[in-house]
């Protein structure tokens, strides 16, 4: 695990991987699912209006993030939460408004994400998250993050709804796959970049499935907490983790000499 120490080296603009990183990432994807449902359905704004509004909010948040020349927890994780919401809404629009089957949307975002990674590697010769120290690399990074959320939403909905496994089994299934990836990385030393991005994609349906499990009414297979209570519980927890990261400098690292690493 990399630790930040003061010095003249270039600083990474995104966090390194710690337990706090994965904890807040799971919390963020859960909020992305419940908040999107709350805005579009509970408040009655509809998918299209909610998507345009949240995209505008995300653009402002990303402007603040790009203004940072090192990793700062608050603007970074606010952007992640918002991009989780927007990624969810994009997939929901394709399925509900454009009537594109989940199988097609899952395949579409798989291809788009693969093209994003291909372009990123062709230009930068690395997909490492430890070397995000230029604006161009950060643009590729956030595009990849957006498409991982859209792909994770489509894949999670495909398994839970189309395959009929329900929220709990879907969450446990994807959690088992993520754990398997982690074990393959630590035990068999599979490529760190591949392991990270696979885990990042698949933690999206894990968080979304458990978010739906908590928020949806019992007749739809949930526990009935509602989107408001579920969203505020997770937002509050996210705020506490961000505070911890800010105070401890958890996740901050040098970017120099990390090129090509996971």
């Amino acid at each position: 695990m990399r630790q930040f120490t003061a010095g003249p080296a270039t600083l990474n603009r995104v966090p390194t991987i710690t337990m706090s990183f994965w904890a807040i990432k799971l919390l963020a994807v859960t909020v992305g699912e419940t908040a999107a449902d709350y805005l579009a359905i509970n408040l009655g704004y509809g998918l299209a209006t909610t998507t345009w509004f949240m995209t505008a909010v995300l653009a402002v948040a990303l402007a603040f993030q790009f203004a940072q020349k090192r990793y700062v927890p608050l603007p970074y994780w606010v952007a992640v939460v918002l991009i989780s919401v927007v990624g969810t809404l994009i997939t929901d629009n394709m399925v509900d408004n454009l009537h594109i089957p989940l199988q097609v949307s899952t395949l579409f975002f798989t291809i788009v994400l693969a093209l994003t990674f291909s372009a990123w590697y062709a230009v930068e010769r690395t997909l490492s998250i430890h070397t995000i120290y230029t604006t161009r690399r950060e643009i590729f990074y956030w595009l990849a993050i957006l498409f991982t959320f859209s792909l994770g939403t489509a894949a999670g909905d495909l398994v839970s709804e189309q395959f009929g496994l329900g929220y709990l089994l879907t969450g446990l299934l994807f959690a088992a796959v993520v754990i398997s990836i982690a074990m393959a990385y630590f035990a068999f030393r599979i490529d760190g970049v591949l392991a990270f991005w696979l885990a990042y994609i698949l933690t999206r349906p894990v968080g979304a499935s458990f978010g739906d499990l908590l928020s949806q009414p019992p007749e739809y297979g949930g526990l009935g907490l509602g989107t408001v209570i579920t969203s505020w519980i997770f937002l509050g927890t996210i705020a506490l983790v961000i505070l911890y990261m800010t105070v401890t400098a958890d996740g901050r690292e040098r970017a120099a000499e990390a090129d090509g690493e996971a």
Side-chain angles (χ1 to χ4, degrees), residues 15-109:
T16 190
I17 308 306
T18 65
M19 291 301 295
S20 299
F21 175 95
W22 289 116
I24 198 170
K25 201 272 184 177
L26 279 169
L27 293 166
V29 299
T30 303
V31 169
E33 183 73 17
T34 58
D37 288 345
Y38 175 71
L39 292 169
I41 299 173
N42 295 75
L43 293 185
Y45 293 134
L47 283 173
T49 300
T50 302
T51 302
W52 285 112
F53 174 74
M54 293 307 300
T55 300
V57 175
L58 172 62
V60 174
L62 285 176
F64 279 102
Q65 166 61 24
F66 274 88
Q68 315 302 316
K69 300 307 177 186
R70 62 178 177 86
Y71 165 62
V72 180
L74 182 59
Y76 175 86
W77 287 109
V78 167
V80 169
V81 171
L82 291 171
I83 210 167
S84 175
V85 175
V86 172
T88 299
L89 289 167
I90 290 173
T91 299
D92 288 346
N93 270 283
M94 291 179 65
V95 175
D96 295 339
N97 287 346
L98 300 180
H99 307 293
I100 297 173
L102 283 167
Q103 295 91 330
V104 176
S105 60
T106 300
L107 177 61
F108 171 78
F109 284 117

Side-chain angles (χ1 to χ4, degrees), residues 110-150:
T110 300
I111 294 172
V112 170
L113 183 59
L115 291 174
T116 301
F117 283 137
S118 297
W120 183 353
Y121 189 81
V123 172
E124 300 293 344
R125 310 311 298 175
T126 179
L127 300 178
S128 172
I129 64 164
H130 300 297
T131 60
I132 310 297
Y133 52 80
T134 67
T135 298
R136 185 168 65 185
R137 289 188 179 190
E138 192 172 3
I139 290 172
F140 279 122
Y141 176 85
W142 286 108
L143 279 175
I145 294 297
L146 174 63
F147 294 135
T148 63
F149 281 125
S150 293

Side-chain angles (χ1 to χ4, degrees), residues 89-262:
L89 289 167
I90 290 173
T91 299
D92 288 346
N93 270 283
M94 291 179 65
V95 175
D96 295 339
N97 287 346
L98 300 180
H99 307 293
I100 297 173
L102 283 167
Q103 295 91 330
V104 176
S105 60
T106 300
L107 177 61
F108 171 78
F109 284 117
T110 300
I111 294 172
V112 170
L113 183 59
L115 291 174
T116 301
F117 283 137
S118 297
W120 183 353
Y121 189 81
V123 172
E124 300 293 344
R125 310 311 298 175
T126 179
L127 300 178
S128 172
I129 64 164
H130 300 297
T131 60
I132 310 297
Y133 52 80
T134 67
T135 298
R136 185 168 65 185
R137 289 188 179 190
E138 192 172 3
I139 290 172
F140 279 122
Y141 176 85
W142 286 108
L143 279 175
I145 294 297
L146 174 63
F147 294 135
T148 63
F149 281 125
S150 293
L151 173 58
T153 299
D157 288 349
L158 176 64
V159 173
S160 65
E161 297 175 11
Q162 295 289 317
F163 296 167
L165 291 186
Y167 302 127
L168 179 59
L169 286 180
T170 299
L172 292 175
L173 173 63
F174 280 105
V177 176
V178 172
I179 292 170
S180 299
I181 293 169
M183 292 175 61
Y185 173 72
F186 288 110
F188 303 106
R189 308 307 298 175
I190 68 169
D191 182 75
V193 173
L194 175 64
F196 169 78
W197 286 112
L198 285 176
Y200 202 97
I201 294 168
L202 294 172
T203 48
R204 173 65 182 84
V206 173
S209 296
F210 285 109
D212 282 335
L213 176 67
L214 292 171
S215 63
Q216 294 300 314
E219 58 266 29
Y220 295 117
L223 298 179
L225 292 181
T227 56
V228 177
I229 294 176
T230 304
S231 296
W232 280 111
I233 288 173
F234 283 93
L235 282 172
T237 309
I238 287 171
L240 291 175
V241 179
I242 290 175
L243 178 61
Y244 166 79
M245 287 179 152
T246 302
V247 172
T248 64
D250 180 78
R252 197 180 300 176
E253 69 173 344
R254 297 175 185 270
E257 302 179 356
D259 230 308
E261 298 180 12

